[in-house]
Amino acid sequence: MADLPPAWAPYTALLGSRLHAQTAYRAGFVMDLFANVGIGLLEFVEIYVILTHTSTLGAMSASGALLVFALANIGFSLADLAVGHVDNLPTYLRAGTLDTFLLRPLPALAQLVTSDVALKRLGRTGVALIVLAVATPTAVAHWTPAKVVLLALTPVTGAAIFSALFVMAAAMQFWLVDGGELANSFTYGGSYAASYPASVLHLPLRVLFTFVVPAAFTAYLPALLLVEQPGPAGLPSWLGWLTPLVAVLAWGIALLVWRAGMRRYTGAGG
Amino acid sequence: MRPLPALAVAGFRRWSAYRMATVAGALTNSVFGLLRAAITVAAVGAAGGVIAGYSAREVATYSWLTQALMTVMVLGIWDELAVRVRTGDIAVDLARPVDLQLSWLAADLGRAAFVLLPRGLPPLAVGALTTGLALAPSAWSYLLGALSVLLGVVISFAIRFAVNLSAFWLMDVRGALTLHMVVSGVLSGFIVPVAWFPPWLGTLASATPFPSMLQTPVDVLSGRVTGAAAAQVVALQALWAVATLGVGRLVLARATRRLVVQGG
Amino acid sequence: MSSSELLVQARSLQRDFVVRRRAGRLRRTRHVVSAVAGVDLDIHAGEAVGYIGANGAGKSTTIKMLTGILVPTAGTVRTCGLDPVRERRNLARQVGVVFGQRSGLWWDLPLVESFRVLAALHRLPSHTWAPRFDELVERLELTSFLATPVRQLSLGQRMRGEVAAALLHRPRLLVLDEPTVGLDVLSKERLRAFLREERAERATTLLLTTHDMGDIQRLCERVLVVDHGAIAYDGTLPGLVARVGAERVLVVDLAEPVAPLGGITHTQLVGVEGGGLRQRLSFSPDLTTAAQVLAAVSQRADVRDLAVEEPDVEEVVRRLYAASGR
């Protein structure tokens, strides 16, 4: 069996089929892309209007706050692109799609994740990238190799953390039938909290959106390191270096919750 | 029961079936309220205590009230009518011996009545406990506020109705629905208060019905506008309600003609 | 038969569900319902088994436990020698499943794309799957709609595509849940003919649930009837028909119109068409045989053609349930 296709072949085929399906309806795709630019702008309007009235926010300069906003939105939109559709788990359950996944020789979660890739989300990524390009030169003064690596890594770790949140939120829906909106507190709520300096939040909320829902790790903590600012109470800026570790940890927990959810679905647990 | 009240009751009942969803939604509304209040309060603090007439407590109240009313006013995507147009089920609705627009309005008012308290009170309660609320001092403001919320729902519905009817002409309405979500989210004053807008955006907003949909009820309930000024903004709301419903009827008439001529 | 390998082995298989019912305004009560209650089941390699029963009798639940989608509450099951849930992915390589109401295809892609993706999912090298694909396309006559998106296929076309998709990786066990539901007569017959060929050539083991006695008659040598989660009958179709006393109908086409064929021993004349050209006689298989009835008819008329109609599944199941005192 020397010519057995490689282990990743199933996934490239699944993703390829999704890309094929999207490019098949080009006009619809372009419209979806523009709609997502609109969503990106909707997110941007709030911080833009606020910054027309004040030059600092949460002890950060305007450009620093915009850097946080941009990093959080890039990370979230990439996660949304890759795994955002796991939100639809209840629909998949009702249509029996999950049963179909279980009849194939691949892990169900891997099939669920690769069952769609929403390229239209790049519209929102684009808006955030422009904000990043405008804010970074003003916000970051002294460039060091470590900062370059951190800036390049943050969208990736941010996307990983938000993806883990999406998977956790989806897995919760094995228990919370009809309760999908609660799961949104973690994903969309996390993204919203991540878009602003965590220093604007009161201590309990700040702790919640840093150590329970690790939103602050996706943008604010790395941004503190980039602009060389100390963090507020409870959030020393060196935490930003732990971001990759937090991403791995978040995925570990997400996979455990997913496994428990699957055990519930197949009737093996609880 | 007469047909329109019956439809409103049915709309109420349908929504009351989703108990779990209501609890989950109220919690989510409250979490977002906490975040929005924190962000806007911090902005006011950084700007020296007041932005465009809003103190910290007032902007927190604004955050909680908009959060309490967002489900009532449907600031997300609503495509129920567009789906019926696409599937052709709209023909069934048109064949009924009640006015299409008014019957959908009745159902939407039923929906709004159901979500008003369970989705509205929890965020307000959380707000009262955390940041405190700056509410209107007189009973008159609440009476007028109730009327203002009702008119806000009517305007919200009338616009959604017209946008959904674009499904008669568009192959794919998702783009139009998303555009509507973005525009109404900003211009209604849901994202930030209309008074905070830069002048160009403020001028743009005041030429549209969107501020009458959300900003006005919030202003009346929080006592930002009182007395004769309050009566005046509610009268403006009534005008916008009539105007948006009128536009919806025109669109519906064209759509129906198209349906009759082309057979769908 | 007993010497060949056991592909499915279930012992005291049970599956309970907790059902919550509203009792009053806010209270809900919990009930435990056994969808499958103590099923013993052996299926040997090469067998073709029809699994029938009323709606809600436990057919789908059993199939889900055999294929690793559901864990049994009690009892054991092994499919292809594997623990279905724990070794689900290994099992998936050896089993093909078609759920009549669900799709294993990609609805927004041309049909042919689904096969490419499935081949990749099973990590089949192209030199093994390509000939198999060509063979399935030819025998299921898929050529004309291979380039059509799945959502635009007719039900009959889609079902042929589903069956081909389930067989692409050459499974040893093929499980079909209501494969012919909603199909027209011609599509049903075409699918059945294909499945017979497939079995004849590759000795694929077949387990199917159906509401159509024609499926059982044409495809299965063994029938299982499930009732309230337990096996109520396990044997041949004629045996089942005899057991419930259901009647078969002999339909004869005659060379020329003949007076109604009443009075033949152990038969009842149930229809006369075309002025006597076609007549239908019902008989109970434990009292007489089709051959005896035909012999009696032949003495009175010149028979050009004949057919034997089986009773329908609902009727047989209803009678079996009635006989067991339900």
Side-chain angles (χ1 to χ4, degrees):
Chain A
M1 297 299 272
D3 57 349
L4 193 73
W8 63 81
Y11 303 106
T12 49
L14 281 168
L15 286 173
S17 76
R18 288 304 82 202
L19 296 178
H20 182 169
Q22 282 175 54
T23 46
Y25 310 102
R26 202 154 296 163
F29 175 72
V30 169
M31 189 176 261
D32 282 345
L33 195 66
F34 274 108
N36 275 274
V37 170
I39 292 172
L41 289 173
L42 182 69
E43 302 288 330
F44 179 68
V45 163
E46 183 175 26
I47 192 161
Y48 162 73
V49 171
I50 285 174
L51 291 176
T52 60
H53 294 282
T54 167
S55 55
T56 65
L57 189 61
M60 277 191 125
S61 66
S63 59
L66 285 175
L67 180 65
V68 173
F69 174 87
L71 290 173
N73 272 269
I74 294 172
F76 182 77
S77 58
L78 291 179
D80 204 3
L81 176 153
V83 307
H85 56 274
V86 301
D87 252 12
N88 299 330
L89 187 73
T91 318
Y92 284 48
L93 294 181
R94 240 174 286 132
T97 314
L98 200 65
D99 288 353
T100 311
F101 289 167
L102 287 172
L103 295 170
R104 295 185 189 141
L106 293 177
L109 179 60
Q111 291 183 66
L112 179 63
V113 166
T114 50
S115 70
D116 198 2
V117 47
L119 287 181
K120 58 187 179 182
R121 308 281 184 224
L122 287 174
R124 187 168 166 185
T125 319
V127 173
L129 275 173
I130 293 170
V131 178
L132 182 76
V134 171
T136 311
T138 327
V140 185
H142 309 96
W143 283 101
T144 63
K147 280 191 186 178
V148 174
V149 171
L150 189 63
L151 183 64
L153 208 59
T154 302
V156 180
T157 49
I161 290 172
F162 282 125
S163 304
L165 287 175
F166 267 119
V167 170
M168 251 182 268
M172 279 167 55
Q173 301 189 44
F174 282 114
W175 288 273
L176 300 171
V177 187
D178 283 346
E181 215 180 327
L182 186 64
N184 287 354
S185 297
F186 289 82
T187 51
Y188 296 92
S191 144
Y192 184 55
S195 306
Y196 288 85
S199 47
V200 303
L201 304 175
H202 304 290
L203 194 62
L205 265 189
R206 196 186 297 162
V207 171
L208 175 72
F209 279 103
T210 306
F211 298 109
V212 182
V213 179
F217 281 96
T218 63
Y220 176 61
L221 290 168
L224 283 178
L225 292 170
L226 289 171
V227 302
E228 295 180 42
Q229 239 181 279
L235 260 63
S237 60
W238 56 262
L239 282 175
W241 295 114
L242 300 184
T243 304
L245 198 68
V246 171
V248 171
L249 197 67
W251 262 100
I253 295 170
L255 290 176
L256 284 177
V257 178
W258 174 263
R259 228 173 66 172
M262 281 305 292
R263 282 172 62 83
R264 182 184 160 83
Y265 181 71
T266 58
Chain B
M1 211 186 296
R2 298 215 310 280
L4 293 182
L7 281 167
V9 170
F12 183 95
R13 287 250 174 83
R14 240 185 86 205
W15 281 83
S16 66
Y18 301 101
R19 210 176 304 213
M20 176 76 183
T22 308
V23 174
L27 272 167
T28 306
N29 284 167
S30 302
V31 170
F32 271 87
L34 279 170
L35 292 171
R36 295 187 58 208
I39 291 163
T40 48
V41 166
V44 168
V50 178
I51 295 179
Y54 282 83
S55 67
R57 196 181 172 85
E58 284 168 333
V59 81
T61 305
Y62 151 84
S63 297
W64 291 113
L65 274 173
T66 49
Q67 212 49 42
L69 289 175
M70 67 170 289
T71 315
V72 178
M73 304 298 178
V74 194
L75 280 149
I77 285 190
W78 182 81
D79 65 353
E80 237 174 86
L81 181 63
V83 167
R84 285 189 79 79
V85 172
R86 188 168 47 79
T87 57
D89 289 347
I90 192 75
V92 180
D93 300 349
L94 282 165
R96 292 205 179 113
V98 283
D99 182 87
L100 183 79
Q101 191 191 36
L102 291 183
S103 60
W104 278 79
L105 173 62
D108 199 57
L109 288 174
R111 176 200 62 76
F114 174 74
V115 297
L116 182 66
L117 295 184
R119 301 291 290 251
L121 285 184
L124 288 180
V126 175
L129 289 173
T130 53
T131 61
L133 298 174
L135 292 174
S138 72
W140 162 245
S141 286
Y142 293 106
L143 268 176
L144 201 61
L147 176 62
S148 180
V149 169
L150 176 68
L151 286 169
V153 175
V154 173
I155 295 169
S156 153
F157 164 77
I159 300 171
R160 281 182 280 131
F161 181 83
V163 173
N164 268 247
L165 285 184
S166 67
F168 274 103
W169 293 272
L170 298 175
M171 280 283 287
D172 188 345
V173 287
R174 277 174 307 171
L177 294 175
T178 310
L179 184 69
H180 165 251
M181 178 181 80
V182 170
V183 170
S184 70
V186 173
L187 298 184
S188 67
F190 173 62
I191 300 292
V192 282
V194 173
W196 288 23
F197 287 1
W200 65 271
L201 193 58
T203 312
L204 180 67
S206 62
T208 70
F210 295 109
S212 284
M213 172 182 135
L214 185 65
Q215 184 74 54
T216 304
V218 169
D219 283 349
V220 175
L221 285 170
S222 61
R224 287 192 72 74
V225 288
T226 50
Q232 207 179 335
V233 291
V234 173
L236 179 65
Q237 269 192 300
L239 280 179
W240 274 122
V242 172
T244 49
L245 283 175
V247 169
R249 297 196 80 82
L250 282 179
V251 178
L252 178 61
R254 295 206 135 219
T256 319
R257 199 172 329 136
R258 188 184 157 85
L259 188 70
V260 174
V261 173
Q262 304 190 353
Chain C
M1 187 67 81
S2 59
S3 63
S4 70
E5 189 191 350
L6 264 182
L7 272 197
V8 174
Q9 185 178 34
R11 290 288 172 274
S12 321
L13 199 58
Q14 182 170 339
R15 176 69 219 191
D16 299 339
F17 289 104
V18 175
V19 182
R20 288 191 175 77
R21 291 203 193 91
R22 284 180 73 162
R25 284 183 57 77
L26 291 169
R27 263 166 22 85
R28 292 208 168 111
T29 53
R30 290 171 89 243
H31 299 262
V32 175
V33 177
S34 293
V36 173
V39 163
D40 292 323
L41 179 60
D42 286 337
I43 297 176
H44 291 88
E47 272 194 291
V49 179
Y51 197 47
I52 63 177
N55 285 327
K59 291 173 301 201
S60 294
T61 308
T62 311
I63 285 184
K64 283 183 174 179
M65 287 192 283
L66 299 186
T67 51
I69 295 177
L70 265 183
V71 180
T73 309
T76 58
V77 57
R78 293 191 80 76
T79 309
C80 300
L82 303 169
D83 176 339
V85 170
R86 209 167 292 153
E87 295 164 284
R88 181 174 64 71
R89 284 160 61 189
N90 270 332
L91 182 61
R93 290 181 223 281
Q94 303 187 40
V95 178
V97 185
V98 175
F99 285 115
Q101 312 293 331
R102 298 178 174 170
S103 182
L105 304 169
W106 280 261
W107 68 282
D108 52 359
L109 291 176
L111 180 60
V112 63
E113 290 287 318
S114 284
F115 293 100
R116 289 201 189 115
V117 179
L118 280 168
L121 284 189
H122 285 279
R123 293 175 67 196
L124 305 173
S126 61
H127 67 82
T128 49
W129 78 268
R132 175 66 167 161
F133 171 69
D134 292 341
E135 179 197 348
L136 290 166
V137 167
E138 192 199 315
R139 292 192 7 223
L140 279 161
E141 297 168 54
L142 310 179
T143 316
S144 61
F145 50 87
L146 269 179
T148 312
V150 170
R151 68 196 148 84
Q152 292 172 11
L153 298 181
S154 72
L155 184 62
Q157 291 172 332
R158 206 202 80 201
M159 192 47 69
R160 274 142 70 196
E162 300 277 1
V163 170
L167 287 170
L168 185 66
H169 58 290
R170 300 185 174 87
R172 304 171 64 198
L173 173 64
L174 179 63
V175 180
L176 304 173
D177 190 19
E178 302 283 356
T180 56
V181 72
L183 297 190
D184 60 73
V185 180
L186 199 67
S187 302
K188 274 183 189 175
E189 207 38 59
R190 190 184 283 182
L191 192 57
R192 289 171 186 157
F194 164 78
L195 289 169
R196 286 174 71 93
E197 275 172 43
E198 172 71 16
R199 284 201 355 95
E201 244 168 64
R202 299 181 33 85
T204 309
T205 310
L206 179 66
L207 173 63
L208 72 85
T209 74
T210 186
H211 277 90
D212 189 328
M213 196 58 97
D215 291 345
I216 306 273
Q217 215 179 320
R218 299 270 283 120
L219 294 170
C220 305
E221 56 260 16
R222 184 173 159 204
V223 193
L224 294 167
V225 184
V226 61
D227 175 24
H228 285 72
I231 303 285
Y233 176 85
D234 181 351
T236 62
L237 179 61
L240 174 61
V241 170
R243 162 111 166 247
V244 301
E247 298 190 325
R248 306 173 79 190
V249 175
L250 180 72
V251 185
V252 286
D253 283 353
L254 306 173
E256 49 198 34
V258 170
L261 296 164
I264 295 175
T265 325
H266 300 308
T267 73
Q268 201 177 350
L269 184 66
V270 290
V272 179
E273 293 161 34
L277 265 180
R278 170 177 288 184
Q279 309 209 11
R280 312 164 81 86
L281 295 151
S282 79
F283 63 97
S284 177
D286 40 346
L287 294 178
T288 182
T289 65
Q292 285 171 353
V293 179
L294 180 63
V297 172
S298 300
Q299 288 180 354
R300 287 165 56 175
D302 188 4
V303 177
R304 302 265 306 263
D305 199 1
L306 72 140
V308 181
E309 289 176 354
E310 301 292 342
D312 66 35
V313 167
E314 275 80 9
E315 173 64 12
V316 169
V317 167
R318 200 181 54 73
R319 283 179 181 235
L320 187 73
Y321 289 1
S324 61
R326 297 275 188 189

